[in-house]
Amino acid sequence: MFNKKLLAVVIASTLGLVACGSDDNDVPAIQVDLRILETSDLHANIMDYDYYKTKYDPSIGLARTATLIKQHGAEASNFVLVDNGDLLQGSPMGDFIAANFKRDNTLGDTHPAYKAMNTLGYSVGNIGNHEFNYGLDFLSQAINGADFPYINANVLCEADCWEGKEKGDNLFTPYIIEEKSVIDSNGNQQTIKIGYIGFVPPQILLWDKQNLSGKVSVMGIIEAAEKFIPQMKAEGADVIVAIPHSGVGTPSNPVDVNDENATYALSLVDDIDVITFGHSHSVFPSATFEGLENADLDKGTINGVAAVMPGRWGDNLGIVDLKLEMQDGAWLIIDRTAKAAPIYDKNADEPELVSADNGIRDAVAIEHQGTLNYVNQPIGKASADMYSFLTLVQDDPSVQIVSDAQIAKVKANLTPALKDIPVLSAAAPFKAGGRHSTTADADSYVQVPAGDLTYKNAADLYLYPNTMVVVKVTGAEVKDWLECSANQFNQISASSTEPQYLINWDTHRSYNFDVIDGVTYKIDVTQPTKFDGDCALLDASANRIVDLAYIQDGISITGAEFANKEFIIATNNYRAFGGKFAGTGSDHVIMELPDSNREALAQYITDETAEHGQVDPTADNNWDFVTINTSTKLDIRFETQDSALADKFIIDNQSRHLTKRADLTDEFGFAIYNIDLTSQAITK
């Protein structure tokens, strides 16, 4: 792929050949300013409301973004508005609507996302990967409520597909060309043909296999772009806007047909003028992408193509501004800029940058109240607090209860042929502070107190609507699965007195820190990591997981006997079909349950409460760190929430000696603790 258009513009600009004024006859140039606004990854956050805390949240929600849409639209002579998917899933309101659909197999009314969006005048919507989470019937009924068209160029129909579709047909309209009436700089009306084309990661076939297997196939994003972009140009598109539900990717890697994050590669495809992207919940342009090759963060371009990504949950609005000029009967883009505008700035004296749009709130008022009722339904009681303040440094109740629920669900559904194989569970902390090198959320912790539990609490404990999937593995694969998880930690030097931070925030996400329950093990953080955050091999000789054992009939099974033993692991569809961790991938899957992990958790809470009066989420401490034997005084640190609630929980529940550093502050508002890994764990 070579961007001939970009090269031509650069050469013309260098030689002074791009006209930006009047010609020799002093005829005014015909110029048009066009603004493209983008929302993406709203994840059913239509209201500016936190259903877990039951209060308004000014940092999220289309109700706030809508105010920006109207402001920035009114400032422009001409504008269009697009959405880039992951719209229907991700908040309790999305769960509420999906639960009603599951009961009756019908929405019965327009989805609240479209009740809101239909008031804003969207030109087009793209399909995100999470649109498939609730199945094709749900998706079909939902998008029928949109007053704007949907596009996607790389999902194809298989034998069993939507009515009226044959094998090989695009499931959705691959692209559209909008004849946009605009006002030029002279006050005259013109028409610009804007082409929109959408894409989704090919990984939907893995992530939603239970919904899509045998029904669809998926082309690579670049493959689909190179097929349809020439057709769009041939049909007269003056401006082509690519809307990939896809992150940036990296310029150093060759483009693979199955790349999940392909925006950088798309910027090299001829005739794409604008990319409004999403999926990875980041903001582009921003300092996060400092150093990205051929990216201009001031202009908001990648390889000369205007590009924007507006975060997640409505926290930003993507804005692209184009200046077009009529030259030789064709529209030429002579300038382009892109930026993301936030709705909230926590560092500002007045952090709320916009007020809510009451029209959006009114549009979904009924569904908002229904969601409140839904999340507050009682499901049981808990005997102990479930807070995730320590989830990355010790076994944790918020992960323990998920594992217990998964094991119970799988054991109840095993066939006779599998009943003699030990059942384990893999579960990860989804809310562990969200702290990374350039972003953080000090409120993003599970905070479920002991006592009465509701569905809201279950949704807080298990954030995503994943479905339960079971894999069969060997003990050797269990070990490598854990070795990849252990990349969550930086390597600690046993001979250094310098400050050393334990948690690897830069290259490992906490949702990839799987704790495997049913076995016991320790993690030696003085050793190098065997795998990176994507489970790619870094050091075959590395060995962080030690003392790995399974207790059977009172006997500890270890070593070669453990490595050769078969196990069943209860996990989710994302992990089981992802194929990154050892023991995962389609060839390891032995069972797919129709239940979501969250539903299994809610049912477990209800069942345990009915039988025992309450559910006990107490962590069984099946994993720990290896105690470091050194005479050096180590300064090992980690970050967690800075609050009175966290302080008390840590004092009461620490399994290692932890000391809060009152003399240190974290740039994102986290407390900094020292953890003593040179003394034995605290016995309780």
Side-chain angles (χ1 to χ4, degrees):
M1 292 173 301
F2 186 71
N3 197 326
K4 295 177 286 187
K5 180 176 181 180
L6 171 60
L7 180 61
V9 171
V10 171
I11 294 173
S13 300
T14 303
L15 298 177
L17 298 178
V18 176
C20 295
S22 57
D23 60 19
D24 293 339
N25 297 321
D26 204 29
V27 176
I30 300 175
Q31 295 183 344
V32 167
D33 292 319
L34 176 64
R35 175 166 285 179
I36 301 163
L37 304 178
E38 180 204 14
T39 55
S40 185
D41 295 274
L42 289 170
H43 284 285
N45 286 284
I46 309 305
M47 286 288 291
D48 51 332
Y49 197 87
D50 186 331
Y51 291 100
Y52 303 119
K53 297 179 180 177
T54 323
K55 67 178 184 178
Y56 282 95
D57 184 346
S59 69
I60 64 171
L62 182 61
R64 300 274 174 161
T65 327
T67 301
L68 280 185
I69 291 170
K70 292 179 178 180
Q71 288 178 357
H72 288 280
E75 293 172 3
S77 303
N78 313 284
F79 80 96
V80 295
L81 174 62
V82 306
D83 182 72
N84 194 5
D86 273 12
L87 170 68
L88 303 176
Q89 170 279 333
S91 81
M93 182 178 284
D95 291 340
F96 167 59
I97 299 301
N100 287 343
F101 176 86
K102 185 175 182 179
R103 183 187 65 234
D104 302 326
N105 202 37
T106 179
L107 285 175
D109 194 5
T110 300
H111 193 288
Y114 299 118
K115 286 185 177 181
M117 296 171 74
N118 289 344
T119 70
L120 297 173
Y122 279 82
S123 287
V124 68
N126 180 45
I127 298 292
N129 55 285
H130 281 289
E131 261 64 76
F132 298 99
N133 286 171
Y134 304 126
L136 291 178
D137 288 344
F138 177 91
L139 177 55
S140 176
Q141 289 188 36
I143 64 175
N144 281 341
D147 286 348
F148 50 89
Y150 263 89
I151 53 171
N152 172 274
N154 65 321
V155 179
L156 307 179
C157 211
E158 286 295 306
D160 181 14
C161 199
W162 284 350
E163 185 177 351
K165 295 285 185 178
E166 297 182 358
K167 184 173 182 177
D169 289 346
N170 280 88
L171 185 63
F172 307 91
T173 302
Y175 63 85
I176 64 169
I177 298 177
E178 176 187 14
E179 294 194 7
K180 176 69 175 175
S181 179
V182 296
I183 303 299
D184 67 22
S185 55
N186 302 316
N188 298 318
Q189 186 169 304
Q190 304 286 343
T191 298
I192 294 178
K193 293 183 177 180
I194 307 173
Y196 306 98
I197 183 168
F199 310 93
V200 72
Q203 284 74 15
I204 61 170
L205 290 181
L206 299 175
W207 299 332
D208 275 295
K209 181 176 182 291
Q210 72 279 9
N211 292 326
L212 300 179
S213 180
K215 297 179 180 179
V216 305
S217 59
V218 187
M219 299 171 66
I221 291 175
I222 302 305
E223 178 187 6
E226 292 179 337
K227 174 181 178 180
F228 289 113
I229 298 292
Q231 295 181 26
M232 298 172 71
K233 290 301 290 185
E235 293 175 23
D238 298 308
V239 175
I240 292 182
V241 180
I243 313 177
H245 195 82
S246 183
V248 172
T250 58
S252 58
N253 292 337
V255 178
D256 186 278
V257 294
N258 291 316
D259 269 359
E260 174 184 349
N261 296 308
T263 294
Y264 193 94
L266 274 175
S267 72
L268 298 171
V269 174
D270 283 341
D271 295 320
I272 291 178
D273 300 300
V274 176
I275 304 178
T276 57
F277 61 114
H279 181 55
S280 61
H281 293 195
S282 297
V283 175
F284 183 92
S286 72
T288 302
F289 295 94
E290 197 75 49
L292 179 64
E293 184 179 331
N294 293 328
D296 186 331
L297 300 184
D298 293 325
K299 293 280 287 184
T301 61
I302 302 175
N303 291 308
V305 177
V308 71
M309 176 167 50
R312 67 12 170 194
W313 303 356
D315 62 359
N316 281 264
L317 175 68
I319 305 170
V320 175
D321 284 310
L322 304 179
K323 184 176 287 292
L324 299 98
E325 184 168 282
M326 177 63 73
Q327 294 185 21
D328 298 326
W331 291 106
L332 179 68
I333 298 174
I334 61 174
D335 194 21
R336 65 199 81 202
T337 59
K339 65 180 180 180
I343 65 172
Y344 188 86
D345 182 356
K346 67 179 181 181
N347 297 317
D349 291 336
E350 297 183 6
E352 295 186 33
L353 303 181
V354 294
S355 58
D357 183 292
N358 286 327
I360 299 296
R361 285 182 172 179
D362 291 343
V364 298
I366 294 174
E367 289 82 4
H368 173 58
Q369 185 57 53
T371 304
L372 288 172
N373 297 338
Y374 173 70
V375 299
N376 287 305
Q377 295 174 11
I379 60 172
K381 292 184 177 181
S383 63
D385 296 332
M386 292 173 281
Y387 303 143
S388 64
F389 303 128
L390 294 174
T391 191
L392 297 181
V393 296
Q394 66 183 51
D395 202 14
D396 168 81
S398 69
V399 174
Q400 184 71 56
I401 192 171
V402 171
S403 277
D404 292 345
Q406 290 181 170
I407 289 174
K409 187 68 176 180
V410 170
K411 283 185 174 180
N413 285 273
L414 286 179
T415 63
L418 298 173
K419 283 190 177 295
D420 292 333
I421 302 177
V423 177
L424 314 179
S425 171
F430 295 138
K431 297 175 71 175
R435 190 192 188 287
H436 305 300
S437 57
T438 58
T439 60
D441 185 353
D443 289 328
S444 183
Y445 290 90
V446 174
Q447 299 177 58
V448 178
D452 293 338
L453 299 179
T454 65
Y455 187 79
K456 174 178 66 178
N457 300 134
D460 197 15
L461 287 160
Y462 202 100
L463 196 59
Y464 302 106
N466 298 330
T467 55
M468 290 203 61
V469 178
V470 183
V471 294
K472 187 164 72 170
V473 302
T474 65
E477 288 167 331
V478 170
K479 183 176 185 298
D480 272 351
W481 190 322
L482 290 169
E483 290 283 1
C484 181
S485 294
N487 182 63
Q488 183 70 73
F489 306 107
N490 294 315
Q491 186 174 2
I492 299 299
S493 170
S495 60
S496 174
T497 60
E498 295 297 313
Q500 300 183 75
Y501 280 86
L502 181 62
I503 309 302
N504 170 17
W505 295 108
D506 291 336
T507 64
H508 200 97
R509 297 297 184 254
S510 65
Y511 54 72
N512 282 332
F513 177 53
D514 278 1
V515 171
I516 296 185
D517 263 293
V519 294
T520 58
Y521 57 97
K522 293 182 179 179
I523 302 172
D524 187 348
V525 292
T526 66
Q527 298 302 307
T529 183
K530 184 173 184 178
F531 300 98
D532 67 13
D534 289 323
C535 299
L537 184 65
L538 294 177
D539 183 349
S541 64
N543 187 44
R544 283 188 160 188
I545 303 300
V546 299
D547 298 339
L548 179 58
Y550 173 74
I551 307 300
Q552 183 171 341
D553 299 327
I555 299 173
S556 181
I557 297 175
T558 62
E561 185 180 1
F562 180 95
N564 293 320
K565 189 173 180 59
E566 282 190 329
F567 294 94
I568 288 170
I569 299 184
T571 182
N572 60 58
N573 58 299
Y574 180 88
R575 177 71 75 240
F577 291 111
K580 291 181 179 180
F581 283 72
T584 66
S586 298
D587 55 331
H588 287 276
V589 172
I590 59 171
M591 187 187 308
E592 298 174 62
L593 299 176
D595 310 81
S596 72
N597 299 69
R598 188 184 296 163
E599 289 169 335
L601 173 59
Q603 188 61 53
Y604 175 75
I605 291 170
T606 299
D607 292 345
E608 287 291 299
T609 301
E611 184 174 353
H612 304 291
Q614 58 187 355
V615 62
D616 181 6
T618 305
D620 61 11
N621 297 313
N622 70 300
W623 74 272
D624 188 14
F625 296 107
V626 171
T627 299
I628 300 173
N629 184 15
T630 180
S631 60
T632 303
K633 185 174 177 57
L634 301 181
D635 181 0
I636 305 174
R637 303 174 180 180
F638 74 95
E639 307 90 343
T640 190
Q641 187 179 89
D642 188 9
S643 69
L645 183 67
D647 291 348
K648 184 179 187 308
F649 181 81
I650 290 169
I651 290 170
D652 293 343
N653 293 276
Q654 58 189 317
S655 62
R656 292 273 179 175
H657 290 288
L658 307 175
T659 306
K660 188 175 183 179
R661 297 291 299 262
D663 59 321
L664 295 175
T665 58
D666 177 270
E667 61 180 314
F668 297 117
F670 290 84
I672 297 176
Y673 279 78
N674 280 118
I675 180 170
D676 183 3
L677 295 183
T678 63
S679 301
Q680 293 294 324
I682 298 171
T683 302
K684 296 182 180 179

